[in-house]
Every structure is written in structure tokens, then in C-alpha cells.
Amino acid sequence: MLIQILNRLAWLVVSLILASLLVFAVVNVLPGDVAAVILGTSATPQSLETLRHQLGLDQPAWLRYVQWIGGMLRSDFGTSLLSHSDVGPLIVQKLAVSGPLALGSAVISVAVALPLGVLAGVHYRRFSGALISALSLLGIAVPAFWAGLLLATVFAIQLKLLPAGGFVDWSESPIGALRSLVLPALALGLVQAAVLTRYIRSAIIDVQREDFIRTARAKGLTRWQALRRHGFRYAAIPVVTILGIQLTGLLVGAIVIENVFVLPGLGRLLFQSVGNRDLIVVQDLVMLLTAVVLIVNFLVDLSYRLLDPRIRSSA
Amino acid sequence: MKLPPTLLVGGLLVGLVVLTALVSVVWTPVDPTHVEVGDRLKGPMPGYLLGTDQVGRDELSRLMAGATNTLIIGIVTVVIALGIGVPLGGVAALYRGRLEDATMRLSDVLLAFPAILLAILFAAVFQPSRLTAMAAIGIALVPVFARVVRGAGLQVMQQDYVTIVRTYGGTRVWIFVRHLLPNVSSVLIVQATVAFAVAILAEAALSYLGLGTPPPTPSWGRMLSESQTFLNQAPLLAVWPGVAIALAVLGFNLLGDGLRDLLDPKP
């Protein structure tokens, strides 16, 4: 068990290094002179040279890579090319918006999908199961940003219940901050719930076909009793995997949805940095988000080893 | 033989998108780029069946032309993903060893990059355009195909007939083309259909952010973004392009499900 965990951990480190090389290569090795972009039309050969030196662009690529990674490990994320402020504190500040948004969406998604998915799975031959299944198929096809637009149209513009965009800072008014997050979290959470519902449904359908459930039914348990005592833990294994994948969806969804509702989070920062070609911020943020995905995948892998004794023992 | 209902509904929706796209190439009610400032933000009426947008362009014509854009993006993206993913998976399955480890590790890492994140990275480094968006989404989808081909390839290599082909001196390339590809083709078709849906969603989000299809080419994602300023005056403009995206994605997802039931009948 321990050796397996260490093995997985080693792969995680290798993956993180590979991912960082990939991000660095795309940003640095491919054409596109950052200095020329920043200076624009006012560039002279001399000013270009000075700026390249300031940015460290005259140093060899491998040295810049080592400095970038070394800095990140010491939580020094470098300096924004445009605002000249440290990227690290900037990211922390934006997390105060993106973190609660992602968490809220995840809670909404699980709260909606768990009962619906189980119901659709248990009643998969009945009308109610088919209806939930059809609705979730439709939900998967809806882009989260469109759901956001529709929610904003109804609840912000028509009914004027909630703000259509912008963010009230937590320090100013915690309730105001929460109110600005309700619609974005709903848009993201409901769309994610559609995906999750389908996976929970098929996990529940699959587990009902297992021999041990048939045995449990044969000794007199009702369908629900059999599922509760023997089925849910078994069905949880594929669902946990999907929860990990969902986090990726949530991160990406948050990038887009923050721009729909003009929330000053990581997604908005990423988008603005792309517009300004502030490549250091882009490079940091993409690496950070990818690292989160890789680490979550690792944790998911570990967690279903704990859930399923068979995976634990087999190599 | 009874066709799965998902296949029929999916096929119908996809057929509708394809037909709309084909028709829009030769005919739309109004030129989709024709600006009629006097008729801006009109509601549905004769002449403009779905109304007009913020500069007086016909919404229906723009939706129809947007279907072409959507299909082009889907096709190019899937071709990129297939073109890189299939050979990569084939190499991993046929050569095994370090080469397999390296390609599969790389594909695992690539899998950690969501399509939109990779596209944003590309847009930051190169100019945001339809090409960078398609390239990024295509590359992000490569691991899906590489894994499918490798998995099936490992099975095929175990078969007795492949051993016989090898004893007769059949090369690996021959085995790949003659024995591996036909064996994975049905799985690839299913995956390609689902990848099409993923590509449509990703491109719509990118175009919404202004990192996808640039103007004046009509694109459903950008139409939604343009509608946002006028939610008060013309809320319907925020509805139609979304419906189009959802129906197209639903169509390809259902078609993929249906094809899976048809080609790979498992309980």
C-alpha cells in the first residue's frame, strides 16, 4: 500500500515537471517577443534591449525555467509585466472570489445531482427515471455561460432580485459578496449537476445488476435497503472519479463564468492578462490550475484505493 | 433491426445543423453581415423572423451562417485530434517499452489541460484566432484518441492472427493499417462524435470570451457575448444562439450514445 502511494506520488511529481515544461515551452520558446508587445509602436532597438534585460529575456531559456520553478516553490510567482506588482499576493486576493465560487458551485452540483441521480438510477425503467435522464442530457448540452446569461436576464434584469454582475468585496459587505456569487454559482453548479447526475445514475444502475445485490434482495431486503447496506459504497467508486474530473470542469467553467458576471477572480485575471499579453501572469495561472487538476487526480486515485479494498490489494 | 432512439434523435439534430450550414452557404434570408442601422434590436417580425441584432443584422441569417462556422470548427478540431492521437496510440501499442511509457505519460499530462485553458494559453502567446482555438482544442483532445487506440492495439497484438502476420514478416506499419485501424474504427467514430460536441462547447465559450472566431464571421458564442449589453432591450437575442449551441451539442452527444449502442452492443 505504502509503496503504491509512493509510486503514485513519484508519478505526480513527474507529471508536474512535464506540465511545467509544456507551459514554459509554449510561452517562451515559441515566437512572440514580449518586449516588443509591451512597448508597441514606441519601441526602439535600444529600449527593446533594455526591457529584455529587465525581464531577463536575454538569459538562456533553461535558466529562466529554473528560476521560474524555483520561485514558485518558494511561493515567489514573479512580477506582473504590466502592473509591476507581485503575482503571488494578486492570486491570493483573487482566490477570495474564485474559491467560494467554485466551492458554492460544487455544493450546488452535488446537492442537486445526488438525489436526482440516485432516483433516476433506481427508477430507471420508470417515467420519472427517464425524465431525469432526458433533462440531464439537455443540461449537459447547455454552456454554463449561457445558463449564466439566462439567469441574469430573469433574476437580475427582469425580477431585479440579484446583481447581474460585479462584486461587493467581503470586507465591505459579506452579504453583498454572497449575493454577487449566487447567480454565477447557480449557473456553474446546475450545469455541472447535469453531468454528475448521469454518472450517478449509471453507477446506481450498474450496481443493481451485481450478484451481491441480487442475493441481498433474495434474502428479503427491499430495493432501497439492499442499496443502502451494500450498494452505495460500491457505486461511490466511479462517482468519486467523476467528482475529480468535475473539478476540472468547475475550474474552466469558473474562468468563463467570472467573465459573464464581471467577478474579479482568477478567471477574470487570466482573461485580462491574455488581453494585455502579460505572459508571466498567464504562465503562472495556467501552471497553477494545471497543478490543481493533477493533484486532485492524485487524491482521487488515492481515495478510491481506500474505498475499494480490491484495488488496495491488487498491484 | 431496431435503431436506438438516441441515434435517431441525435441524427436528426445533427442532420438539421448540417443542412442549415449547407443551405446558409448558398442562401440566407438576408446577408448575415448586412448592417441596417435603422432596424437595430427589432423583435421578431416579417422580414426578420427572429429579429435583428444591435447593428440591425438579421438574427436568423446569422444563426444559419453560425452553423457553418460551428461545423468547420468541429471538423478541423476532430481531424487534428485524430491525426495526432491515432498514430500516437498506435506507436505506443505496437512498440511498447519506453516509447509507450513516454507517449502515455505525455498524454496523461495533456489530459490535465482542459481544452479552454490550453486555448487561453495559445491565445496569449499567439494572436487569438479561430485557428489557435481549433489547434488548442484539437491538441487537448489528443489523449482521448491516443488512449482508445493504445488500449485496442494492445488487445489486437495479443491475437494469434497478428502473431502469424508477424512470423510471415508483416511490418508494424502494416499491422497498424491492416489490423489495428479496422478494429478500432467503430470506437473512434463514437469518440469523434463526442469530441465534436466538446469542441462546439469549448469554441462557443472561447468565442464568447473573444478568443475564438473573430468578427465578421458569425459565431454563436460571440453572438451571445454581443447580446449581453442589450439584455434589457432585446432579451431574446440572448436566447437563440444558446438554443442553437445546446441543440447542436445535444445532437452530437445523442448521436455518439446511439452509435455506441449500435456498434458496441454491451448490456
Side-chain angles (χ1 to χ4, degrees):
Chain A
M1 180 75 179
L2 186 70
I3 293 175
Q4 279 179 40
I5 294 177
L6 287 178
N7 193 12
R8 289 276 140 192
L9 200 64
W11 274 130
L12 172 67
V13 174
V14 172
S15 302
L16 282 172
I17 294 172
L18 277 176
S20 69
L21 279 170
L22 212 68
V23 173
F24 187 81
V26 172
V27 173
N28 288 272
V29 180
L30 296 168
D33 188 343
V34 187
V37 173
I38 294 176
L39 291 175
T41 46
S42 68
T44 62
Q46 267 165 336
S47 62
L48 272 175
E49 204 53 48
T50 327
L51 189 65
R52 281 204 196 103
H53 181 69
Q54 275 173 8
L55 299 174
L57 292 176
D58 50 356
Q59 287 166 339
W62 67 266
L63 190 65
R64 278 184 286 143
Y65 173 76
V66 171
Q67 281 169 347
W68 176 53
I69 293 297
M72 291 237 280
L73 290 177
R74 284 177 283 114
S75 67
D76 169 14
F77 288 82
T79 314
S80 160
L81 295 180
L82 251 86
S83 63
H84 299 291
S85 53
D86 280 351
V87 182
L90 199 62
I91 290 177
V92 173
Q93 180 200 336
K94 303 291 178 188
L95 265 178
V97 178
S98 298
L101 172 62
L103 196 69
S105 315
V107 169
I108 291 172
S109 147
V110 173
V112 172
L114 205 56
L116 284 183
V118 170
L119 207 65
V122 175
H123 295 167
Y124 75 104
R125 285 210 184 89
R126 288 200 220 157
F127 176 73
S128 58
L131 184 71
I132 296 173
S133 177
L135 280 178
S136 68
L137 260 175
L138 202 63
I140 293 174
V142 169
F145 70 90
W146 185 46
L149 270 183
L150 292 182
L151 286 174
T153 311
V154 175
F155 292 100
I157 291 174
Q158 307 284 343
L159 302 174
K160 303 199 190 324
L161 287 174
L162 291 157
F167 186 72
V168 184
D169 200 78
W170 293 102
S171 58
E172 211 173 299
S173 154
I175 293 177
L178 275 179
R179 276 168 54 88
S180 359
L181 289 178
V182 171
L183 287 181
L186 265 179
L188 205 52
L190 289 179
V191 170
Q192 292 282 317
V195 185
L196 194 56
T197 302
R198 283 201 75 71
Y199 281 105
I200 294 177
R201 170 181 173 270
S202 58
I204 296 284
I205 292 178
D206 284 348
V207 76
Q208 288 176 91
R209 295 206 178 101
E210 292 290 333
D211 287 343
F212 60 80
I213 293 289
R214 202 180 50 195
T215 310
R217 296 291 305 277
K219 66 176 200 191
L221 295 187
T222 65
R223 190 195 285 261
W224 281 103
Q225 283 170 333
L227 274 176
R228 214 173 39 234
R229 290 205 198 152
H230 307 284
F232 286 144
R233 178 171 161 148
Y234 186 85
I237 298 163
V239 172
V240 166
T241 316
I242 297 312
L243 276 176
I245 298 174
Q246 285 244 299
L247 189 104
T248 317
L250 220 57
L251 282 176
V252 173
I255 296 175
V256 185
I257 216 83
E258 279 176 15
N259 285 291
V260 178
F261 288 93
V262 206
L263 294 174
L266 289 178
R268 186 97 188 131
L269 176 66
L270 181 59
F271 175 71
Q272 286 168 334
S273 308
V274 169
N276 299 331
R277 299 227 349 169
D278 195 344
L279 288 180
I280 295 197
V281 180
V282 173
Q283 181 175 307
D284 281 349
L285 281 176
V286 171
M287 186 59 224
L288 208 66
L289 293 173
T290 312
V292 170
V293 173
L294 283 169
I295 291 169
V296 167
N297 286 348
F298 165 75
L299 292 177
V300 165
D301 200 53
L302 282 192
S303 72
Y304 59 61
R305 272 156 207 279
L306 293 177
L307 277 171
D308 189 346
R310 288 168 309 174
I311 304 177
R312 213 183 300 168
S313 53
S314 70
Chain B
M1 180 171 142
K2 196 171 167 286
L3 290 174
T6 44
L7 186 73
L8 292 176
V9 180
L12 204 70
L13 286 172
V14 170
L16 191 70
V17 176
V18 173
L19 193 69
T20 310
L22 288 178
V23 169
S24 80
V25 175
V26 285
W27 179 82
T28 48
V30 185
D31 178 357
T33 52
H34 178 72
V35 173
E36 197 68 59
V37 183
D39 287 342
R40 62 195 295 270
L41 297 175
K42 284 270 193 296
M45 60 189 230
Y48 301 116
L49 281 181
L50 297 181
T52 59
D53 71 359
Q54 71 283 0
V55 289
R57 291 173 299 197
D58 180 40
E59 184 77 358
L60 178 62
S61 305
R62 290 180 66 71
L63 278 181
M64 288 176 66
T68 319
N69 182 53
T70 297
L71 282 186
I72 290 174
I73 280 148
I75 292 169
V76 175
T77 308
V78 170
V79 166
I80 292 174
L82 277 170
I84 306 175
V86 171
L88 218 58
V91 164
L94 295 174
Y95 290 86
R96 307 297 309 266
R98 290 248 173 90
L99 210 54
E100 184 187 18
D101 287 346
T103 43
M104 283 304 111
R105 188 49 36 189
L106 198 69
S107 110
D108 277 358
V109 171
L110 208 53
L111 209 58
F113 286 92
I116 292 181
L117 197 58
L118 201 63
I120 289 177
L121 184 64
F122 274 38
V125 177
F126 311 102
Q127 286 306 317
S129 75
R130 192 157 68 162
L131 189 68
T132 49
M134 291 189 297
I137 302 170
I139 291 173
L141 287 171
V142 162
V144 178
F145 294 101
R147 281 163 165 236
V148 166
V149 173
R150 171 181 166 265
L154 290 180
Q155 278 176 4
V156 170
M157 292 302 279
Q158 302 283 322
Q159 303 291 321
D160 289 340
Y161 67 84
V162 173
T163 319
I164 294 170
V165 172
R166 297 190 73 173
T167 35
Y168 275 100
T171 60
R172 290 194 172 99
V173 175
W174 174 255
I175 294 171
F176 176 74
V177 175
R178 193 72 185 73
H179 300 289
L180 179 50
L181 279 186
N183 265 302
V184 290
S185 59
S186 60
V187 191
L188 283 181
I189 291 171
V190 173
Q191 290 294 344
T193 317
V194 178
F196 216 105
V198 175
I200 295 175
L201 271 179
E203 198 277 337
L206 287 170
S207 286
Y208 173 82
L209 292 175
L211 303 175
T213 310
T217 314
S219 120
W220 294 340
R222 210 185 51 255
M223 287 167 76
L224 280 177
S225 128
E226 288 165 352
S227 78
Q228 201 172 354
T229 327
F230 307 98
L231 287 182
N232 245 328
Q233 299 122 289
L236 280 178
L237 288 182
V239 173
W240 305 124
V243 171
I245 297 169
L247 286 182
V249 173
L250 182 67
F252 279 100
N253 275 337
L254 286 177
L255 189 64
D257 277 3
L259 285 172
R260 184 179 294 130
D261 293 346
L262 187 72
L263 300 171
D264 183 25
K266 272 182 207 143

